[in-house]
Amino acid sequence: MQPDSASSTPPPAGPPIVSLLEIATAFGRIGTTSFGGAVTSWMMREVVWNKRWLTEDEFLTGLAMAQALPGVNVVNLPLWIGYRLAGVPGALAAASGVIFPPGMFIAIFYAFYAMLSRYHETALALQGAAAAAIGLSLAMGLRAARRQVRKVIPALILVATFVAVGVLHQSMLMVLLALAPISVGHAYWEVKRL
Amino acid sequence: MKDNILLTLLVIIAPLSLMSVGGGQAILPEVHRQIVLNLGLVTETQFVTDFTISKMAPGPTSLMISLMGWQAAGWQGMVVATIAIFAPSSILLLLMARIWSRHSGAAWQKAVESGLAPIAAGLILASTLTIARALGGGWLAAFVSLVVTVVMMATRINPLWMIAAGAGLFMLTELV
């Protein structure tokens, strides 16, 4: 597939010509050094300021899309950046960089864990690590929730989602089909009203 | 038999890729419900292990789905699970990329973004509950989780230190 720089709707600003290998290595480096949050700001520093591949506006447009559409931000954003730089092949190169090198890490970690699993201490250490990881996850959830509970409707949607999925074990598809139209519809009404 | 498991993984995980609003963590309750509870392809302990390893290693939490694929059906399972979790959402994003940038800042985009945010937050909290229940740790686990939560909310410390501290503390209990 060709990068679509010459098609009828070219990207607004002309991004620089970057090779697929450059894209893959840049995101491979970001992927293997990204632990927990702050990955997007690190990508912005790298892509916008250091390499000057995209303008800040283009980056932020991509970030909004990466967050709004399904999928992982850490993968969606590279897809968008790679796509702007070199079309679909660029997108694949960027996504591969953030998926495969960390994937290797995880496989190696797991193999190492499996090797040590006959020791009782390994199971204990993993339980302790799991308890801490649950704390990381709770902090992430609370941070995301903090912004939503200031208004009545988003707060109700949040609680309804949590109860239906977390407590009542309802099918996620059903919960999304029921709540997403209400929540997005309400958000649309709010945007239009302002 | 194995082909059946691979197909099952694909059929369960690929739709979840398109449902992962607010990142990979949001789908964990559903992954747990289907793959651990309904099908028993992965045990509770494996589920917790995969989550924990994905938090210890770099990269997205969604990579734990790859590990679950490995446990359910070997390396082919890992490949199928990885493709199933990343490909559908990636294809959707690329299909939307043009339309999205052409209408950048449009009302419907803001509505989708802010309308899905409370659902994403609810799902992340639900996933935390799912994992905590799967771990089934006692008071020490609950204590560690809550201390880590407070520290992470209050400081900008590297999360890896928290994981190392949790592991270390549990190993110390062996000595006393």
Side-chain angles (χ1 to χ4, degrees):
Chain A
M1 237 175 286
Q2 285 294 313
D4 45 11
S5 53
S7 70
S8 55
T9 49
I17 295 166
V18 186
S19 80
L20 296 181
L21 187 65
E22 264 179 287
I23 297 173
T25 33
F27 283 101
R29 200 164 54 228
I30 294 171
T32 45
T33 46
S34 66
F35 291 90
V39 191
T40 47
S41 52
W42 164 217
M43 279 187 200
M44 176 142 159
R45 198 168 54 216
E46 196 61 17
V47 169
V48 177
W49 296 323
N50 291 354
K51 297 198 181 289
R52 298 177 185 280
W53 281 351
L54 293 186
T55 66
E56 198 169 318
D57 268 0
E58 286 174 307
F59 184 90
L60 292 175
T61 300
L63 181 59
M65 177 168 72
Q67 282 168 340
L69 293 181
V72 195
N73 288 347
V74 190
V75 176
N76 280 354
L77 191 53
L79 275 168
W80 160 260
I81 297 167
Y83 179 73
R84 294 307 303 261
L85 291 172
V88 172
L92 293 179
S96 305
V98 281
I99 294 173
F100 297 120
M104 299 280 284
F105 260 91
I106 285 191
I108 292 167
F109 271 38
Y110 181 71
F112 194 63
Y113 165 79
M115 214 167 68
L116 295 175
S117 64
R118 60 201 155 105
Y119 302 108
H120 175 59
E121 286 78 7
T122 313
L124 269 181
L126 195 100
Q127 278 173 24
I134 288 165
L136 301 180
S137 166
L138 182 56
M140 178 166 87
L142 290 177
R143 241 181 272 128
R146 198 157 52 184
R147 288 190 288 269
Q148 305 304 324
V149 292
R150 294 188 197 123
K151 288 183 178 168
V152 179
I153 304 281
L156 288 175
I157 297 278
L158 188 159
V159 172
T161 308
F162 174 76
V163 171
V165 173
V167 181
L168 303 174
H169 304 290
Q170 294 302 303
S171 140
M172 184 182 181
L173 179 62
M174 292 305 149
V175 174
L176 281 181
L177 288 178
L179 293 179
I182 301 174
S183 192
V184 173
H186 171 258
Y188 188 77
W189 179 73
E190 288 265 291
V191 171
K192 281 289 178 191
R193 207 184 47 158
L194 292 174
Chain B
M1 183 59 201
K2 188 130 186 191
D3 289 348
N4 276 340
I5 297 183
L6 293 178
L7 193 63
T8 307
L9 286 173
L10 185 68
V11 168
I12 289 179
I13 298 171
L16 289 175
S17 173
L18 296 176
M19 285 189 243
S20 53
V21 295
Q25 184 132 0
I27 58 167
L28 292 187
E30 185 73 5
V31 168
H32 179 264
R33 193 174 75 94
Q34 300 223 33
I35 297 182
V36 180
L37 294 183
N38 291 357
L39 296 169
L41 289 174
V42 171
T43 67
E44 296 277 9
T45 312
Q46 286 175 322
F47 180 76
V48 174
T49 304
D50 298 344
F51 173 75
T52 308
I53 289 178
S54 79
K55 288 287 177 190
M56 287 159 65
T61 309
S62 300
L63 281 170
M64 75 173 276
I65 308 289
S66 310
L67 277 186
M68 293 178 75
W70 185 1
Q71 287 152 348
W75 70 266
Q76 296 107 317
M78 190 174 194
V79 171
V80 167
T82 308
I83 293 171
I85 193 63
F86 291 115
S89 62
S90 299
I91 292 168
L92 178 70
L93 185 124
L94 291 176
L95 291 175
M96 291 289 293
R98 241 156 222 286
I99 307 168
W100 191 281
S101 54
R102 202 176 307 141
H103 301 276
S104 177
W108 62 268
Q109 293 182 353
K110 289 189 190 130
V112 170
E113 198 180 353
S114 59
L116 292 180
I119 296 179
L123 289 171
I124 293 170
L125 289 171
S127 76
T128 310
L129 183 61
T130 303
I131 300 150
R133 265 194 306 235
L135 174 66
W139 63 268
L140 185 61
F143 171 75
V144 167
S145 298
L146 290 177
V147 169
V148 170
T149 307
V150 171
V151 173
M152 290 307 293
M153 300 286 288
T155 68
R156 308 187 113 244
I157 191 171
N158 187 327
L160 284 179
W161 289 116
M162 297 287 96
I163 291 183
L169 185 68
F170 267 61
M171 286 179 81
L172 276 181
T173 61
E174 190 72 331
L175 302 176
V176 291

